[in-house]
Amino acid sequence: MKIRDISRMAWDQVKRRKVVTGLCMTGISIGCAAIIVALSIGQSAQAYVTEEVNRNFKMDEIMVMPGGGIPSPAGGGQAGQQENENLNPGKLTDEKLEIIRGFKHVVAASPFQEAGYLQMVTMDNKIGDTQVVVTDLSKLTHFDKTFSMGGGSGVQGTAVLNYGATLGLMDVSVRQNLFDQMNADPFNQELMNQYTSMQTTPTDLYRKQIQFQMQDYSVPNGPLKQSSALQVTGILEIPEGYSAERASYEKVIYISPETAAQLSKEMAFENGSALNLPEEGSYGSVTVKVDDVDHIKWVEQMIQKLQLSASDNLYQQDMLKEQFDMIKMAALGVGVFILVIASISIIVAMTMSTHQRRRQIGIMKVLGANMRQIRNMFITEAALLGLLGGLLGVGFSYLIIMGMNKLVGTAGNGLTFFVPLMTLPVGLAFAIMTGVLSGIYPAISASRTDALTAIKRD
Amino acid sequence: MLRVENISHSFKTGNEWTKVLHSINFTVNQGEMVALLGSSGSGKSTLLNLMAGLMKPLEGHIYIADQDIVKLGENKLAEFRRKHIGFIFQAYELITSLTVCENVELPLVFQSVSPRIRRQKALQLLEQVGLQGKEDMFPSQLSGGQQQRVSIARSLITEPSVIFADEPTGNLDSKTEEEILAILLHLNKTLKTTFIVVTHEHEVADRMQRIFSLRDGYLINGDFREESPVSEEAAP
């Protein structure tokens, strides 16, 4: 018996027996939709969390540090040790940085040297504590940083501020006064609110001048040293998904290596400089941006050949994948359970249908249909019911996901549910499988129908 | 062509066996049209079902096209029926969801014959039974006589060795009965197909070439009459 004939006969029955078809399709569609929705929710949540993790942990970036050889302070060795450079093959030098920049798949490579924390002072005497990061200001945009105002300049004596660095700057006397009041009355909510509000209030610093200052605490009554003025040439945008409060905890000023060298000299104390810098021409850390997460490992291997240490955040992704795989499996289990329940409706409906069609089966057997052909006809019918139920389930799942997105709305904070295309064949496959498995018993029962009993008339 | 040898059969009712056929023997030649005549309860339908392989006799052998069908398993029997046996039922037994043409084609569907050839053969047979132009109608749109013609066309489509007709005119009025008989006789004459017609009507049986009469499970005028209808004996 040809597949085409079996399919056509099955389709005729499906069209003809509307109640049975409706019952079976409803059951299967609910199960199929449950699987697709469960997988979609898992996938959407994973995509959302991965995006968040990517944003925070920069999956496509590699942190390069000096590696191997005889370790030297700040990764680059002290001045005066140049002659012993061959003793430190793991040194992160300008030459190696250039080589890294030339690697395939490397989008950008720049030093991001954390030079320490300094107090920033504006020209109108507002102060704020900031982290100083030494980098190539002209390459900031390559590392997912966007400017809300201005940009990075190659001119010495310039700086770029992140959004957080513009928040919470206060007049010295106002800040001292507020701290005194809070110390005297630590549970005063009004004072706390006032402080929080001031912490998130931005100050316009674009094209303004700033200075750094620091007191030398290493000696009693050490001097308060102030740097020369730096021109703010750019302000970075608040990172996506950040609130002003969260941004206020990350106050960063980016300066070029040349500006850093100048500041280091200006802020030199008896026991060293306020800025922690590697020797000229070498770096304590370099960040490498790669075109695709899939190429991270390859670039890392290339970097390691330069006797440098390279690390990434891919393990975060692996951890997430592991956790979400478990969640998805659990969701799939729920969907399958619903399908199993739904399959009962098919078994009942198909068995009823078999009983009602005993006469027809009998005629077919008399006309020469064998047990296998009768069985195949019923199984095909059940598979067709599964397919139709599955297709209906796909429609349902889209409606459910649409409804969920409407329900979550803006409260989702960027979380949008979607139906990944790969879930559709999974849902359909489960629906068809349920149809086939549920159809086995009725099919066997039909094939065993005794032709003579079936066609006998009372 | 068809040989029935020492066929005996019993049915179990409760704890007792009732013998319904007693050592039946007869032969039907290729192209013959014979009647199996008997009143209700004579055992003619049981004998038909045995010959068609729908039941297994307790004793004896049935040869069709030199094959002892008693020895065949269910699937082999299905295959044998598909190739060698045609059926005409009293109540037509058409599948109501299929068109006239699809009903006629149905036995060939089980033989995996291509749709084009099936349709061609079905249309040809429908024309032979006088139903040209009605191929796309459904059985419910036809009269009883027309439905029986569809049933006849269906029985012929596999070009079987033998066609069993179980009271083919039993549900028809006398005028239609005459038409159906004329068709069967004509087909027998032209196609040389063997027909075994089960009937309780002498008028129908008289139109056949030979008559096998059954009474209480005994063949009373067969080819080999070995037993007389005497007392019922207990079956195994």
Side-chain angles (χ1 to χ4, degrees):
Chain A
M1 201 170 171
K2 290 181 187 296
I3 294 171
R4 205 177 85 165
D5 290 321
I6 295 179
S7 309
R8 200 180 54 82
M9 286 173 102
W11 175 243
D12 280 348
Q13 287 300 328
V14 164
K15 272 195 307 185
R16 213 172 131 76
R17 312 182 83 81
K18 291 186 177 65
V19 177
V20 171
T21 303
L23 267 173
C24 295
M25 277 176 67
T26 307
I28 289 197
S29 64
I30 292 169
C32 176
I35 285 183
I36 294 174
V37 169
L39 287 176
S40 301
I41 291 172
Q43 196 84 3
S44 307
Q46 186 178 0
Y48 173 72
V49 175
T50 305
E51 199 179 315
E52 286 292 300
V53 169
N54 268 334
R55 191 182 295 145
N56 293 313
F57 293 98
K58 307 286 182 194
M59 295 294 181
D60 55 352
E61 288 180 5
I62 299 171
M63 177 76 82
V64 183
M65 310 275 275
I70 297 168
S72 54
Q78 295 286 351
Q81 284 186 341
Q82 296 272 3
E83 65 276 13
N84 292 327
E85 196 178 317
N86 57 350
L87 291 176
N88 190 0
K91 196 172 173 183
L92 182 43
T93 60
D94 259 337
E95 291 77 25
K96 287 183 181 175
L97 181 57
E98 278 310 309
I99 293 170
I100 292 170
R101 280 179 179 146
F103 285 157
K104 206 174 157 188
H105 304 305
V106 170
V107 175
S110 281
F112 277 87
Q113 175 71 41
E114 291 175 7
Y117 286 84
L118 292 175
Q119 197 167 62
M120 179 177 74
V121 189
T122 64
M123 289 300 113
D124 51 356
N125 215 27
K126 286 180 178 175
I127 57 166
D129 296 319
T130 55
Q131 184 186 24
V132 179
V133 172
V134 181
T135 188
D136 184 347
L137 297 184
S138 62
K139 298 266 170 61
L140 277 171
T141 49
H142 290 111
F143 293 89
D144 304 328
K145 299 189 191 314
T146 46
F147 284 93
S148 62
M149 281 184 280
S153 164
V155 180
Q156 191 173 335
T158 60
V160 168
L161 273 59
N162 78 344
Y163 181 74
T166 67
L167 302 175
L169 293 164
M170 290 179 227
D171 187 81
V172 180
S173 56
V174 171
R175 185 161 101 156
Q176 195 54 49
N177 189 29
L178 193 59
F179 281 172
D180 289 345
Q181 285 183 57
M182 285 168 74
N183 281 337
D185 187 4
F187 300 107
N188 188 328
Q189 193 57 44
E190 204 179 315
L191 281 174
M192 276 303 290
N193 292 344
Q194 193 185 345
Y195 178 73
T196 309
S197 163
M198 289 175 86
Q199 279 295 315
T200 53
T201 304
T203 302
D204 180 16
L205 292 173
Y206 179 52
R207 288 183 176 166
K208 302 277 168 62
Q209 289 194 325
I210 55 161
Q211 284 177 291
F212 291 114
Q213 65 179 21
M214 195 171 190
Q215 192 153 15
D216 186 3
Y217 291 108
S218 62
V219 289
N221 298 320
L224 178 72
K225 288 214 171 182
Q226 272 199 332
S227 71
S228 55
L230 302 179
Q231 179 79 18
V232 177
T233 60
I235 307 285
L236 295 178
E237 259 186 4
I238 184 168
E240 201 182 325
Y242 271 44
S243 64
E245 194 183 344
R246 187 176 168 189
S248 72
Y249 297 125
E250 288 178 28
K251 298 170 189 290
V252 183
I253 294 182
Y254 298 96
I255 57 173
S256 66
E258 296 76 21
T259 308
Q262 176 202 324
L263 286 179
S264 178
K265 283 177 197 159
E266 290 173 7
M267 307 290 281
F269 296 124
E270 271 187 38
N271 295 334
S273 174
L275 289 176
N276 176 29
L277 295 175
E279 77 173 74
E280 206 178 327
S282 69
Y283 306 99
S285 85
V286 161
T287 303
V288 178
K289 184 93 172 168
V290 178
D291 58 0
D292 195 289
V293 174
D294 292 342
H295 301 136
I296 287 276
K297 287 292 169 199
W298 183 84
V299 176
E300 267 185 19
Q301 282 171 5
M302 296 301 288
I303 291 169
Q304 280 158 0
K305 283 182 184 167
L306 298 172
Q307 292 187 299
L308 298 171
S309 128
S311 59
D312 57 58
N313 285 316
L314 287 181
Y315 71 95
Q316 300 273 5
Q317 211 173 31
D318 294 341
M319 260 167 52
L320 269 178
K321 192 178 174 304
E322 218 168 273
Q323 286 169 356
F324 274 98
D325 279 351
M326 278 169 64
I327 294 171
K328 277 191 274 186
M329 284 309 285
L332 193 66
V334 172
V336 170
F337 176 72
I338 295 174
L339 258 184
V340 169
I341 301 293
S343 70
I344 295 170
S345 72
I346 297 198
I347 294 173
V348 171
M350 290 284 291
T351 308
M352 274 168 54
S353 169
T354 309
H355 194 74
Q356 288 166 354
R357 285 153 64 186
R358 280 178 74 236
R359 193 164 189 84
Q360 186 183 324
I361 297 164
I363 297 166
M364 287 182 173
K365 286 190 107 176
V366 170
L367 295 178
N370 60 27
M371 288 171 83
R372 190 168 53 83
Q373 288 171 329
I374 301 285
R375 213 163 42 222
N376 288 348
M377 277 164 58
F378 273 79
I379 287 180
T380 308
E381 199 178 314
L384 193 59
L385 286 171
L387 175 69
L388 292 174
L391 290 173
L392 191 66
V394 168
F396 277 158
S397 56
Y398 272 98
L399 287 176
I400 293 167
I401 292 290
M402 268 168 63
M404 283 173 69
N405 277 329
K406 283 211 166 162
L407 205 69
V408 171
T410 52
N413 198 21
L415 171 64
T416 312
F417 295 107
F418 61 94
V419 180
L421 286 179
M422 56 74 81
T423 62
L424 303 184
V426 173
L428 281 175
F430 269 101
I432 294 170
M433 197 175 73
T434 306
V436 170
L437 291 177
S438 316
I440 287 175
Y441 170 72
I444 291 174
S445 163
S447 70
R448 285 184 179 162
T449 303
D450 178 40
L452 193 60
T453 316
I455 59 168
K456 204 169 166 184
R457 289 191 183 266
D458 296 325
Chain B
M1 199 276 120
L2 183 142
R3 196 164 81 248
V4 175
E5 278 184 15
N6 292 319
I7 286 293
S8 295
H9 197 68
S10 306
F11 288 119
K12 195 178 183 187
T13 38
N15 289 327
E16 288 191 10
W17 288 89
T18 310
K19 199 161 187 176
V20 290
L21 289 174
H22 303 262
S23 294
I24 306 291
N25 290 282
F26 64 85
T27 304
V28 178
N29 300 317
Q30 172 67 41
E32 260 194 308
M33 193 166 192
V34 302
L36 206 55
L37 181 69
S39 55
S40 178
S42 62
K44 60 185 190 305
S45 289
T46 304
L47 183 57
L48 178 91
N49 291 334
L50 291 170
M51 288 190 292
L54 299 174
M55 287 164 69
K56 294 251 181 196
L58 292 176
E59 281 173 43
H61 301 278
I62 297 164
Y63 295 91
I64 299 176
D66 297 325
Q67 171 73 54
D68 185 359
I69 65 166
V70 176
K71 289 179 180 169
L72 298 177
E74 188 166 348
N75 277 331
K76 286 274 178 198
L77 255 179
E79 198 183 325
F80 187 84
R81 270 201 300 272
R82 210 186 295 156
K83 285 179 185 166
H84 297 282
I85 295 173
F87 263 97
I88 300 168
F89 299 94
Q90 180 179 353
Y92 334 124
E93 306 298 359
L94 302 175
I95 292 174
T96 50
S97 58
L98 301 179
T99 63
V100 164
C101 194
E102 287 166 343
N103 265 291
V104 177
E105 285 179 39
L106 194 57
L108 291 185
V109 170
F110 302 125
Q111 290 187 23
S112 304
V113 174
S114 80
R116 195 179 53 82
I117 295 171
R118 277 180 350 220
R119 190 165 173 87
Q120 202 180 337
K121 284 185 98 171
L123 290 175
Q124 209 175 339
L125 284 166
L126 284 170
E127 198 180 334
Q128 275 183 282
V129 296
L131 285 178
Q132 60 271 39
K134 300 203 186 296
E135 59 271 10
D136 294 324
M137 292 174 93
F138 285 91
S140 57
Q141 295 171 294
L142 303 179
S143 68
Q146 286 172 324
Q147 288 190 51
Q148 192 59 295
R149 290 183 202 203
V150 177
S151 180
I152 292 167
R154 183 179 65 183
S155 72
L156 285 163
I157 198 154
T158 55
E159 295 166 22
S161 309
V162 59
I163 291 175
F164 295 104
D166 187 7
E167 303 274 10
T169 57
N171 279 14
L172 305 172
D173 57 65
S174 54
K175 185 173 171 280
T176 317
E177 176 183 305
E178 186 52 43
E179 283 172 14
I180 293 296
L181 278 175
I183 288 170
L184 291 178
L185 289 165
H186 173 72
L187 289 170
N188 170 250
K189 200 173 174 184
T190 53
L191 301 176
K192 304 285 180 213
T193 308
T194 310
F195 278 88
I196 294 178
V197 180
V198 170
T199 183
H200 66 278
E201 294 175 76
H202 284 274
E203 298 81 4
V204 173
D206 287 342
R207 306 280 293 273
M208 307 295 139
Q209 292 162 10
R210 279 201 291 160
I211 300 171
F212 297 114
S213 293
L214 278 168
R215 190 189 300 158
D216 300 327
Y218 291 92
L219 188 65
I220 53 172
N221 65 340
D223 291 358
F224 314 99
R225 193 168 169 212
E226 293 180 347
E227 273 189 78
S228 297
V230 281
S231 61
E232 290 283 323
E233 58 182 270

